[in-house]
Amino acid sequence: MKWRWKPDGCELPIFNPAQFLEIVRGKSMAFVGDSVARNQMQSMICLISRIEYPIDVSYTKDERFKRWRYTTYNFTLASFWTPHLVKSAETDSNGPTHTGLFSLYLDETDENWTSQIEEFDYLIVSAGHWFFRPLVFHEYRNVVGCHYCLLPNVTDMTLFYGYRKALRTAFGAINGLKNYKGITYLRTYAPSHFENGMWNQGGNCARTRPFRSNETALEGANLEAYMIQVEEFRRAEAEGRRKGLKYRLLDTTQAMLLRPDGHPSRYGHWPHENVTLYNDCVHWCLPGPIDAWSDFLLEMLKMEGRRSRQEKLIYSDRRLRAR
């Protein structure tokens, strides 16, 4: 709670809920992704609560699909659960690592969210952690490979093959919507901090202070996931620009890499609950480091008008040159 991210060369203002609510008055914002996306929405709701509490206007009792409205500002927040961004199904609850085996249909959209988002003014898209579980990849209704599925005659293509394809399909779905006019933010991957074991093998995150910049580095699978996100974002941004759509990169990766101290660990449930849980080194405490994501987002929203004008001028200039 006592640490804040400070960028090089500038001051990042702390989140101002009154300012935020004025900017989004009469608008709507959707968080699309897994439980870390929901974690981000919950952080924002907590921060805004100094001004107003929302009312639940969800269209279903399914907790994975929530809608909240701030009536004074006519502002709607929503979350759409889609851990792989594309159509997927759990085909074996056990699987080779006892964490489930999932079939991913890499060229098919997940209509649970793609059919719902045309009306939104802001989309915040994210994904990553669920791709580290065993996966079977399907394209054109055929199995084309997998990630650690250990099935006979199925080639292991690594999780990164599926991750890239899923991002491409998801962005393609957004760019293909007829009536969507909103701004799409890709919230980059926030690394977990398991030490002394994997998440399901006793790993924990017991550090009590942030890393210094020279104590850790973005590398290995985390770096690969981040680079794939950025590459697919740039591809989608170029395609979207031709259709008049805006893409923004909400880059949280480096800031969160330095925060092994910000996870719930074994405290991710009420003390009186009689449950056996894994140590949670994926999600973020509230209040905690994830609150900085709202600092980033508000600053980007404040910059939006200026940036939009600049982009229109650049795009118009390019069209004139092309003629």
Side-chain angles (χ1 to χ4, degrees):
M1 290 172 60
K2 303 297 183 185
W3 296 90
R4 280 192 74 232
W5 170 255
K6 185 183 184 307
D8 290 334
C10 67
E11 290 294 329
L12 177 67
I14 198 164
F15 182 78
N16 182 324
Q19 218 173 50
F20 175 81
L21 285 170
E22 283 299 338
I23 290 172
V24 298
R25 184 186 286 273
K27 293 185 167 64
S28 54
M29 179 178 290
F31 294 86
V32 176
D34 57 20
S35 53
V36 181
R38 184 173 66 237
N39 197 181
Q40 182 180 5
M41 185 182 76
Q42 290 165 340
S43 164
M44 180 173 282
I45 288 172
C46 290
L47 291 170
I48 296 173
S49 67
R50 286 181 283 163
I51 301 293
E52 184 172 334
Y53 286 100
I55 60 170
D56 189 337
V57 292
S58 304
Y59 60 91
T60 172
K61 292 183 179 179
D62 190 335
E63 288 293 315
R64 300 173 303 170
F65 301 92
K66 297 291 290 186
R67 291 197 188 209
W68 303 94
R69 179 165 296 139
Y70 292 84
T71 54
T72 305
Y73 296 86
N74 189 27
F75 171 56
T76 301
L77 270 181
S79 65
F80 295 96
W81 167 260
T82 176
H84 300 107
L85 295 178
V86 293
K87 181 181 175 182
S88 64
E90 187 174 25
T91 49
D92 182 348
S93 60
N94 202 20
T97 61
H98 308 291
T99 59
L101 176 65
F102 296 84
S103 282
L104 269 59
Y105 302 88
L106 297 174
D107 53 355
E108 297 185 45
T109 59
D110 179 358
E111 294 185 358
N112 287 321
W113 68 272
T114 57
S115 65
Q116 300 282 330
I117 59 164
E118 276 188 297
E119 66 193 73
F120 284 88
D121 298 288
Y122 307 103
L123 288 184
I124 301 175
V125 179
S126 58
H129 293 289
W130 282 73
F131 286 82
F132 286 84
R133 300 189 185 201
L135 308 169
V136 177
F137 302 137
H138 299 252
E139 292 180 78
Y140 305 104
R141 299 299 174 97
N142 292 313
V143 173
V144 295
C146 75
H147 163 59
Y148 200 72
C149 63
L150 304 185
L151 295 175
N153 302 318
V154 180
T155 304
D156 194 315
M157 303 175 76
T158 80
L159 69 96
F160 302 113
Y161 176 86
Y163 193 41
R164 184 182 294 279
K165 289 274 188 172
L167 286 165
R168 191 168 297 184
T169 296
F171 286 138
I174 293 169
N175 283 333
L177 293 170
K178 288 183 179 179
N179 299 315
Y180 175 64
K181 305 297 181 187
I183 302 174
T184 302
Y185 293 82
L186 172 64
R187 196 268 299 156
T188 62
Y189 184 66
S192 59
H193 291 95
F194 292 100
E195 295 185 78
N196 302 313
M198 300 292 287
W199 68 274
N200 58 337
Q201 297 171 352
N204 201 0
C205 40
R207 293 179 185 266
T208 55
R209 68 164 183 85
F211 284 128
R212 296 182 184 277
S213 294
N214 62 359
E215 291 177 331
T216 188
L218 190 65
E219 57 191 7
N222 288 333
L223 177 60
E224 185 71 16
Y226 174 77
M227 293 305 298
I228 287 171
Q229 280 192 314
V230 173
E231 288 164 11
E232 291 304 314
F233 168 83
R234 297 298 179 208
R235 179 189 176 101
E237 181 185 35
E239 181 186 340
R241 189 181 294 119
R242 291 192 288 271
K243 300 181 178 182
L245 294 177
K246 299 174 189 172
Y247 279 79
R248 304 289 183 250
L249 192 67
L250 182 57
D251 195 332
T252 60
T253 302
Q254 183 63 26
M256 306 315 284
L257 178 68
L258 301 178
R259 296 306 304 270
D261 57 314
H263 300 284
S265 181
R266 63 189 179 91
Y267 301 103
H269 61 92
W270 294 108
H272 63 268
E273 284 185 290
N274 184 23
V275 294
T276 301
L277 289 176
Y278 300 117
N279 296 316
D280 187 350
C281 303
V282 171
H283 303 96
W284 303 93
C285 297
L286 299 177
I290 195 173
D291 295 332
W293 300 3
S294 291
D295 298 347
F296 295 172
L297 182 60
L298 176 55
E299 193 64 15
M300 292 175 77
L301 288 171
K302 285 156 67 174
M303 294 165 58
E304 189 56 46
R306 185 167 68 250
R307 180 169 176 177
S308 293
R309 285 193 296 273
Q310 289 173 342
E311 285 183 345
K312 283 178 182 175
L313 287 170
I314 292 168
Y315 189 54
S316 298
D317 187 44
R318 283 178 181 166
R319 289 179 66 185
L320 286 169
R321 288 178 188 172
R323 288 174 184 171

